[in-house]
Amino acid sequence: MDSKKVKATKTQDPALKQKSPAEFFSENKNIAGFDNPGKSLYTTVRELVENALDSAESIAELPTIEVTIEEISKSKFNAMIGLVDHERVDAELYDDYENEKAREKRLAKEAREQERQAKAIAAGKKVTVPKAGKGRGDTVFYKVSCKDNGKGMPHDDIPNMLGRVLSGTKYGLKQTRGKFGLGAKMALIWSKMSTGLPIEISSAMKGQKFISFCRLDIDIHKNIPNVHVLEKKPNTTGWHGAEIHVTIEGNWTTYRSKVISYMRQMAVITPYAQFLFRYRAGTPEKNVSVQFVRRTDVMPPAPPETKYHPSAVDLLLIKRLIAEKSKQTLIQYLQQDFVSINKSYAERLIGEMGPDFTPKMLVKDLTDQQLVRIHQLFRQAKFDDPDGDCLSPAGEYNLRLGITKELHPDMVATCQGNVQVFEGHPFIVEAAVSLGGKSVKPGLNIFRFANRIPLLFEQGGDVITRTATKRISWSAYKISHLQDKVGVFVSIVSTKIPFKGTGKEYIGDDITEIASGVKSAIQQCCIQLKAKLVRQKAARDKLERKKNLSRYIPDVSRAIYGVLASIANEREAKRQKYEPDSREILHKVADKEVTEVTLSRKLTQYVDQVDAELALDYATQSGLVKAREPISLAGVDWTQANYLELHSPVCVMKLLS
C-alpha cells in the first residue's frame, strides 16, 4: 500500500522542462525591444540597419544602405498565405460590432464634430482631425527590406547565422553596435509569432560568382533554423552584400517619427554612409522617400577585438578562458589572455599567489580553490589602465560634418575626450554643441549615441540628459538653454556600455567616471562657443557704434564747415599761424572748393568704409564669407593614390606622396 502511494506521488511530480534561447526571447520579447507592434517595426529597422553598417565597415567599404517598409493590407496578406476572405456570418461575434443605439450615438457625435470643424474653418482657425480608433482586428502588416553593400554571408552559414539565437561572430570583447547579439534573429522570431511567414535572404561575398538565396524560419522550441530554400543563383552584376526581407505585424502611424528620427540621427553619426529610406503605403499620397547622402569618405577603422582587463573578469570568465586554452602554462595564460600584464608582472603575481603556484604549471591542472585565489588577487592587485586602441569613435570631423549636413546650424563646436576607464573597460566620450539650425526647437535638443548608434527611448534617466539639463550652467557660456536652439550631441564608445533597463535604451547616471567625462566634454564645447559668441557680440557692438555715427554726419559737417568758414574769412596775417596743411584747407574753403556738402560726403565715405570692414570681420567670425574668386581643383583617384591623412576637428587633409 505504501509503495503504491509513493508511486502515485512520483507520477504527480511535474516533469523538468527546459527552454531554448529562442523560446525565452519569444516569451520575453520586450527585453529585445519588441514591446508592441509599433516598437517591433522600429526595432526591426534598427537591427537590420546596424547589421548592414557592421557588414560594410568590416571590409572597409563605404556603406550604401537601402531600407524599404511596404504596407500590406489584410486582404493582401491573406492572399500571400493562401487564406480566402469571406463575409461575416455572425456580426455580433466581432469586437467592432455596434447595435442600432450605439450606431445612432456614434453618427450624432460625428455630425457634431463635423459642425465644429465647419465653424472653425469659417473662423479661419486650424482644424485637427481626430484619428479613427483601431479595433483589435485591424492588424496591419509590413514587409521590411534592407539591402547593403557589405561583406555578405558564406553560403552554408546563412541558416545558422539567421536562424539560431545566440550564435554569431560578435561575442568577443570589442566595441559593437549590438545590445544583445540577436540582430535580425529577433525580427525572425517576431515574424514567426505575428505572421508565420519566413524571411528571405540574398547574399554574395566579394568576388563571388553566385548569389546565395535562402528562405527560412525558425523552430522556436528547438532553436534551430527551418530551411525552406537554399540555392545559388548567378551573380552577373558583381554585387556583394546582403538583402533581407521580413514580413511582420507593425504600426507605422505611431512610430513613423521614431523611425525617421533614427535614420536621421544615424546619418549624423555616420556621414560616410549613404541611406535611402522608403515607405510605401496603400495610397501614393502617403508614401515617404528620404535620402541621406554621403558627405565624406573618411570612415573610422573597424574596432579590433581586445583582451580582458584583470579587474573586469569574474570567476566564471576565468574558467571559460582556461577551458579554451587548456595547454597554456600559468605565466602564458596571464600574459596572453589579459592586458596590462607583462612577463615580469606576471611573475610577481604568481609569487604572490602562494607556494602552490608555479609559472610553468598548466592552467588545466588548477583546482577550484586556486582559481578563486587568482580571482581574488585580480580584484585586489594594481594594474595599469587599458589603452583606447581597441575603440573606434566617430571622430570630431565626422561628428561636425554629420551635424552640419543634417541640421545646418549657425554654429557648432566639438570635443573628443581622452580615454577613461570604468570597471576595467576603456571608454571615450565625444560631444558637440550646436546653436541654431533647421528642424531644431528652442531649448535643449539632446541627441544620445552609444557605440555609434542613436538612443531614442527612456531619455529622462540617461546620464547625458541629466548632465545637460542639471549640471551645465549654460548662462555662464552666454547661451540661453530655454530660448536658443541648442543641440547637444554626446556619443560614448566602449567595450562595455553600461545600459540600464530591460530594453537597454539608456545609460545609467550612477557611474561617476562616465558622468564626469560627459560633463567635461560638453563644457569644452561650450567654452569654444562662448569665445565665438563673445567675438561676434564685440563685432556687432562695434559695428552698431559706427553705424550710429551716420546720424550725426549732417550736424557734424555743418558745425565743422561753420568753424572753417569763419577762420577762412579772417585776414591772411591771422591765417599764417596755422600749419601749411591747415592753411591749404582754409584756402579751399575760401575758394568754395570745400563746402558743407563736401565734408558730409567725405564723412559718409569714411563711415561706409569702416562699416564695410566691420561687416566683413563680422561675417568672417560667423563663418558666412564665401570664396570671392573662383578656384579649380584637379580630380584625384584616391583609390589608386598613395597619401597620408592628417585629421583635425574641422577637416581631414590628404597629402599625396
Coordinates of all heavy atoms in Angstrom, one line a residue, residues 607-643:
V607 N 32.6 106.5 -42.9 CA 31.7 105.6 -42.1 C 31.4 104.4 -42.9 O 31.4 103.3 -42.3 CB 30.5 106.4 -41.7 CG1 29.5 105.4 -41.0 CG2 30.8 107.5 -40.7
D608 N 31.1 104.5 -44.2 CA 30.8 103.4 -45.0 C 32.0 102.4 -45.1 O 31.9 101.2 -45.1 CB 30.4 103.8 -46.4 CG 29.1 104.5 -46.5 OD1 28.3 104.3 -45.5 OD2 28.8 105.2 -47.5
Q609 N 33.2 103.0 -45.2 CA 34.4 102.2 -45.2 C 34.6 101.4 -44.0 O 34.8 100.2 -44.0 CB 35.6 103.1 -45.5 CG 36.9 102.3 -45.6 CD 38.2 103.1 -45.7 OE1 38.0 104.3 -45.9 NE2 39.3 102.6 -45.5
V610 N 34.4 102.1 -42.8 CA 34.5 101.4 -41.5 C 33.4 100.3 -41.4 O 33.7 99.2 -40.9 CB 34.5 102.4 -40.4 CG1 34.4 101.7 -39.0 CG2 35.7 103.3 -40.4
D611 N 32.2 100.7 -41.9 CA 31.1 99.8 -41.8 C 31.4 98.5 -42.6 O 31.1 97.4 -42.2 CB 29.8 100.5 -42.3 CG 28.6 99.6 -42.2 OD1 28.2 99.3 -41.1 OD2 28.2 99.1 -43.3
A612 N 31.9 98.7 -43.8 CA 32.2 97.5 -44.6 C 33.3 96.6 -44.0 O 33.2 95.4 -44.1 CB 32.6 98.0 -46.0
E613 N 34.3 97.3 -43.5 CA 35.4 96.5 -42.8 C 34.8 95.7 -41.6 O 35.2 94.5 -41.5 CB 36.5 97.4 -42.4 CG 37.3 98.0 -43.6 CD 38.3 99.1 -43.1 OE1 38.3 99.4 -41.9 OE2 39.0 99.5 -43.9
L614 N 34.0 96.3 -40.8 CA 33.5 95.6 -39.7 C 32.5 94.5 -40.1 O 32.4 93.5 -39.5 CB 32.8 96.6 -38.7 CG 33.8 97.5 -38.0 CD1 33.0 98.5 -37.2 CD2 34.7 96.7 -37.1
A615 N 31.7 94.8 -41.2 CA 30.8 93.8 -41.6 C 31.5 92.6 -42.1 O 31.1 91.4 -41.9 CB 29.9 94.4 -42.7
L616 N 32.6 92.8 -42.8 CA 33.4 91.7 -43.3 C 34.0 90.9 -42.1 O 34.0 89.7 -42.1 CB 34.6 92.2 -44.2 CG 35.5 91.1 -44.8 CD1 34.8 90.1 -45.6 CD2 36.6 91.8 -45.6
D617 N 34.5 91.6 -41.1 CA 35.0 91.0 -39.9 C 33.9 90.2 -39.2 O 34.2 89.0 -38.8 CB 35.6 92.0 -39.0 CG 36.2 91.4 -37.7 OD1 37.0 90.5 -37.9 OD2 35.8 91.8 -36.6
Y618 N 32.7 90.7 -39.1 CA 31.6 90.0 -38.5 C 31.2 88.8 -39.3 O 31.0 87.7 -38.8 CB 30.4 90.9 -38.4 CG 29.2 90.2 -37.9 CD1 29.1 89.7 -36.6 CD2 28.1 90.1 -38.7 CE1 27.9 89.1 -36.2 CE2 26.9 89.5 -38.3 CZ 26.9 88.9 -37.0 OH 25.7 88.3 -36.6
A619 N 31.2 88.9 -40.6 CA 30.9 87.8 -41.5 C 31.9 86.7 -41.4 O 31.6 85.5 -41.4 CB 30.7 88.2 -42.9
T620 N 33.2 87.1 -41.2 CA 34.3 86.1 -41.1 C 34.1 85.4 -39.8 O 34.3 84.1 -39.7 CB 35.6 86.8 -41.1 OG1 35.7 87.5 -42.4 CG2 36.8 85.8 -41.1
Q621 N 33.8 86.1 -38.7 CA 33.6 85.5 -37.4 C 32.4 84.5 -37.5 O 32.4 83.5 -36.8 CB 33.4 86.5 -36.3 CG 34.5 87.5 -36.1 CD 35.7 86.8 -35.4 OE1 35.6 85.7 -35.0 NE2 36.8 87.5 -35.5
S622 N 31.4 84.8 -38.2 CA 30.2 84.0 -38.3 C 30.4 82.8 -39.3 O 29.5 81.9 -39.3 CB 29.0 84.8 -38.8 OG 28.8 85.9 -37.9
G623 N 31.5 82.8 -40.0 CA 31.7 81.7 -41.0 C 30.8 81.9 -42.2 O 30.4 80.9 -42.9
L624 N 30.4 83.1 -42.5 CA 29.4 83.3 -43.6 C 30.1 83.8 -44.9 O 29.5 84.0 -45.9 CB 28.4 84.4 -43.2 CG 27.5 84.1 -42.0 CD1 26.6 85.2 -41.7 CD2 26.7 82.8 -42.3
V625 N 31.4 84.0 -44.8 CA 32.2 84.6 -46.0 C 32.4 83.4 -47.0 O 32.8 82.3 -46.7 CB 33.5 85.2 -45.6 CG1 34.3 85.6 -46.8 CG2 33.3 86.3 -44.7
K626 N 32.1 83.7 -48.3 CA 32.3 82.7 -49.3 C 33.5 83.1 -50.1 O 34.0 84.3 -50.1 CB 31.1 82.6 -50.3 CG 29.8 82.2 -49.5 CD 28.7 82.1 -50.5 CE 27.4 81.6 -49.8 NZ 26.3 81.5 -50.7
A627 N 34.1 82.2 -50.9 CA 35.2 82.5 -51.7 C 34.9 83.6 -52.7 O 33.9 83.5 -53.4 CB 35.7 81.2 -52.4
R628 N 35.8 84.6 -52.8 CA 35.5 85.7 -53.7 C 36.0 85.5 -55.1 O 35.6 86.2 -56.0 CB 36.1 87.0 -53.1 CG 35.5 87.3 -51.7 CD 35.7 88.8 -51.4 NE 34.9 89.2 -50.3 CZ 34.7 90.4 -49.9 NH1 35.2 91.4 -50.7 NH2 34.1 90.7 -48.8
E629 N 36.9 84.5 -55.3 CA 37.4 84.3 -56.6 C 37.2 82.8 -56.9 O 37.3 81.9 -56.0 CB 38.8 84.6 -56.7 CG 39.1 86.1 -56.5 CD 40.6 86.5 -56.7 OE1 41.3 85.5 -57.1 OE2 40.9 87.6 -56.5
P630 N 36.8 82.4 -58.1 CA 36.7 81.0 -58.5 C 38.0 80.3 -58.4 O 39.0 80.8 -58.7 CB 36.1 81.0 -59.9 CG 36.6 82.4 -60.5 CD 36.6 83.3 -59.3
I631 N 37.9 79.0 -57.9 CA 39.1 78.2 -57.8 C 38.8 76.9 -58.6 O 37.7 76.5 -58.8 CB 39.5 77.9 -56.4 CG1 38.3 77.1 -55.7 CG2 39.9 79.1 -55.6 CD1 38.7 76.7 -54.3
S632 N 39.9 76.2 -59.0 CA 39.7 75.0 -59.7 C 40.6 73.9 -59.1 O 41.8 74.2 -58.9 CB 40.1 75.2 -61.2 OG 40.0 74.0 -61.9
L633 N 40.1 72.8 -58.8 CA 40.8 71.7 -58.2 C 40.8 70.5 -59.1 O 39.8 70.1 -59.6 CB 40.2 71.3 -56.8 CG 40.1 72.3 -55.7 CD1 39.4 71.8 -54.5 CD2 41.5 72.8 -55.4
A634 N 42.0 69.9 -59.3 CA 42.1 68.8 -60.2 C 41.6 67.5 -59.4 O 41.9 67.3 -58.3 CB 43.6 68.6 -60.6
G635 N 40.9 66.7 -60.1 CA 40.4 65.4 -59.5 C 41.5 64.4 -59.3 O 42.4 64.3 -60.1
V636 N 41.4 63.7 -58.2 CA 42.4 62.7 -57.8 C 41.6 61.4 -57.6 O 40.6 61.3 -56.8 CB 43.2 63.1 -56.6 CG1 44.2 62.0 -56.2 CG2 43.9 64.4 -56.9
D637 N 42.1 60.3 -58.1 CA 41.6 59.0 -57.8 C 42.3 58.4 -56.6 O 43.4 57.9 -56.6 CB 41.9 58.0 -59.0 CG 41.2 56.6 -58.8 OD1 40.6 56.5 -57.8 OD2 41.4 55.8 -59.7
W638 N 41.6 58.7 -55.4 CA 42.2 58.3 -54.1 C 42.4 56.8 -54.0 O 43.2 56.4 -53.1 CB 41.4 58.9 -53.0 CG 41.4 60.4 -53.0 CD1 40.3 61.2 -53.4 CD2 42.4 61.3 -52.6 NE1 40.7 62.5 -53.3 CE2 41.9 62.6 -52.8 CE3 43.7 61.1 -52.1 CZ2 42.7 63.7 -52.5 CZ3 44.5 62.2 -51.8 CH2 44.0 63.5 -52.0
T639 N 41.6 56.0 -54.7 CA 41.8 54.6 -54.5 C 43.1 54.1 -55.1 O 43.6 53.0 -54.7 CB 40.6 53.8 -55.3 OG1 40.7 54.2 -56.7 CG2 39.3 54.3 -54.7
Q640 N 43.7 54.9 -56.0 CA 45.0 54.5 -56.6 C 46.2 55.3 -56.1 O 47.3 55.0 -56.3 CB 44.9 54.7 -58.1 CG 43.8 53.9 -58.8 CD 43.9 52.4 -58.7 OE1 45.1 51.9 -58.7 NE2 42.8 51.7 -58.6
A641 N 45.9 56.4 -55.3 CA 47.0 57.3 -54.9 C 47.5 56.8 -53.5 O 46.8 56.2 -52.7 CB 46.4 58.7 -54.8
N642 N 48.8 57.1 -53.3 CA 49.4 57.0 -52.0 C 49.4 58.3 -51.3 O 49.8 59.3 -51.8 CB 50.9 56.5 -52.2 CG 51.0 55.1 -52.8 OD1 50.2 54.3 -52.5 ND2 52.0 54.9 -53.7
Y643 N 48.8 58.3 -50.1 CA 48.6 59.6 -49.4 C 48.7 59.3 -47.9 O 48.5 58.2 -47.4 CB 47.3 60.2 -49.8 CG 46.1 59.4 -49.5 CD1 45.5 59.5 -48.2 CD2 45.6 58.6 -50.4 CE1 44.3 58.7 -47.9 CE2 44.4 57.8 -50.1 CZ 43.8 57.9 -48.9 OH 42.7 57.1 -48.6

